[in-house]
Amino acid sequence: MNSSEEMAVSGMSAGRSAMRMGPAELVQAAAMARRFYLEGKSKIQIAEEFGVSRFKVARVLETALERDLVRIEIRVPAELDAERSDALRARYGLRHAVVVESPADAEESPDPENLGEVAADLLGELVTEGDVLGLAWGRSTIHMAAALDRLPPCTVVQLTGVYDAGTAERGSVEAVRRAAQVSGGDAHPIYAPMLLPDAATAQALRHQTGIARAFEYFDKVTVACVSIGSWEPGISTVHDMLTEEERAHYASLGVAAEMSAHLFDAEGRRIGRDLGERCITVKADQLRRIPEVVAIAGGQRKAAAIDAVLRSGLVTSLVTDTSAADYLMTAGPTPTPALNRADPDGA
């Protein structure tokens, strides 16, 4: 039996209607229910044990539920919201959606640290031995890596450059190293800024030995972990790295969200593709081919951006909070299921 489900079988706690059953019926029903719900025996096995038909076993079990002889409780940790998680998964057609309770200051704190902790546990479930795990730059992925305590043997590769090469040891490079240390696999960090002054400089860096070696793994990544930013100061690292003129230019194109230096409008269409030529990052088409792409993002200030990225079809799973989830459940028309992995641009 799943440890998150507690099955309580009790004749003494039966409701008033259950007391209409005779004592022999109560005892037999409780015994059958115990065999079925707690011991995992089949209806055929129970029928053979008690010398009755399996149809009678089915009727007894149904009656036990109706008359409150059997009570079934499904429990998850208090910080997880199972109902919102399932609703969000269904609305966006995600493979996995995990919603955690927002902290009291959620409005001012996008991507609270507990998202990283839950994402670390999720990666422990999703990653299997021999996988290639890709980590993109982001505060949430850094929090996730710091919380990792179990990971099967796998190769870990950095999917983007860093926000500031001077802080690499405290950022995504360290996250890659941490994940590789936990898994016991090889690490392939990228010691380069995410955004370069021009396309020529970015192209030259891509051919440097260490960076080129990391890029060779991009098409081999099986599980990726990414962050999402909304187009405002302090919420998108790409926004903060650009000049005022550049920010205004991309804003005029309708940018609503950023993920791994790729820009999206509110409908999930990629815009401002010229920016990618200046960036050290995994390509959008490469992300689309990765079997499992987990986004970690939450908070009211990021809710619209999360919706935009989910509509792009690049993400298969999401770890978020109740603050963002409540917005996402009513945001615009029902989106195309993400598992179609269709490109909204048709490209």
Side-chain angles (χ1 to χ4, degrees):
M1 193 181 86
N2 190 299
S3 61
S4 67
E5 298 183 2
E6 176 181 292
M7 308 298 185
V9 181
S10 171
M12 297 298 293
S13 63
R16 183 171 299 177
S17 61
M19 294 305 293
R20 295 172 186 170
M21 299 174 69
E25 291 177 307
L26 276 172
V27 170
Q28 184 184 69
M32 287 183 176
R34 184 173 291 107
R35 303 289 193 281
F36 186 74
Y37 290 109
L38 299 182
E39 299 176 11
K41 291 188 176 181
S42 69
K43 294 174 183 177
I44 293 177
Q45 289 174 314
I46 297 171
E48 291 176 350
E49 178 182 348
F50 287 88
V52 298
S53 71
R54 61 186 177 88
F55 300 105
K56 180 173 181 179
V57 173
R59 287 197 300 272
V60 170
L61 292 174
E62 183 178 353
T63 300
L65 283 172
E66 290 175 349
R67 298 191 177 187
D68 205 24
L69 183 63
V70 174
R71 293 180 181 179
I72 301 175
E73 294 183 7
I74 301 175
R75 294 178 177 176
V76 295
E79 69 270 16
L80 298 183
D81 192 311
E83 186 175 351
R84 283 185 175 93
S85 297
D86 188 55
L88 198 60
R89 178 200 57 76
R91 173 172 168 78
Y92 286 90
L94 298 167
R95 186 171 290 117
H96 303 283
V98 182
V99 178
V100 304
E101 288 293 334
S102 301
D105 59 349
E107 186 173 353
E108 299 300 326
S109 303
D111 298 343
E113 290 191 23
N114 63 335
L115 293 185
E117 296 168 2
V118 173
D121 287 339
L122 179 61
L123 280 191
E125 292 183 59
L126 299 180
V127 176
T128 59
E129 184 172 352
D131 275 344
V132 177
L133 172 62
L135 301 181
W137 196 97
R139 297 179 186 89
S140 57
T141 53
I142 292 170
H143 292 156
M144 180 277 300
L148 280 172
D149 59 9
R150 64 186 176 96
L151 208 58
C154 63
T155 298
V156 185
V157 60
Q158 193 170 322
L159 296 179
T160 64
V162 297
Y163 174 49
D164 181 346
T167 62
E169 295 301 314
R170 302 188 300 276
S172 47
V173 170
E174 179 56 31
V176 169
R177 287 177 170 173
R178 167 65 181 168
Q181 180 184 32
V182 173
S183 73
D186 293 332
H188 295 278
I190 294 177
Y191 295 95
M194 181 188 296
L195 180 66
L196 282 305
D198 52 63
T201 304
Q203 183 66 8
L205 276 178
R206 293 187 193 106
H207 286 92
Q208 287 190 358
T209 304
I211 298 175
R213 187 177 298 115
F215 268 58
E216 289 173 0
Y217 278 92
F218 286 2
D219 287 325
K220 303 174 185 178
V221 173
T222 50
V223 180
C225 192
V226 300
S227 296
I228 295 172
S230 57
W231 200 246
E232 58 178 301
I235 310 297
S236 166
T237 53
V238 172
H239 175 281
D240 293 347
M241 286 188 284
L242 296 173
T243 65
E244 286 291 342
E245 183 179 355
E246 291 169 330
R247 294 169 190 165
H249 166 67
Y250 292 117
S252 71
L253 299 180
V255 60
E258 173 263 318
M259 179 181 71
S260 302
H262 300 294
L263 308 182
F264 306 86
D265 67 10
E267 301 302 318
R269 295 182 292 257
R270 287 182 57 217
I271 59 176
R273 300 192 183 204
D274 59 307
L275 182 65
E277 298 175 4
R278 297 170 49 194
C279 293
I280 302 298
T281 185
V282 61
K283 295 179 180 178
D285 289 342
Q286 289 174 313
L287 278 173
R288 198 178 300 279
R289 292 193 294 268
I290 296 174
E292 185 74 78
V293 179
V294 181
I296 313 170
Q300 292 182 21
R301 294 175 66 184
K302 279 194 176 183
I306 297 169
D307 175 63
V309 172
L310 292 182
R311 290 176 185 275
S312 75
L314 293 177
V315 170
T316 62
S317 297
L318 174 70
V319 177
T320 190
D321 62 359
T322 52
S323 177
D326 287 343
Y327 174 91
L328 293 171
M329 289 307 302
T330 57
T334 302
T336 301
L339 294 185
N340 287 348
R341 310 304 294 276
D343 189 339
D345 302 330

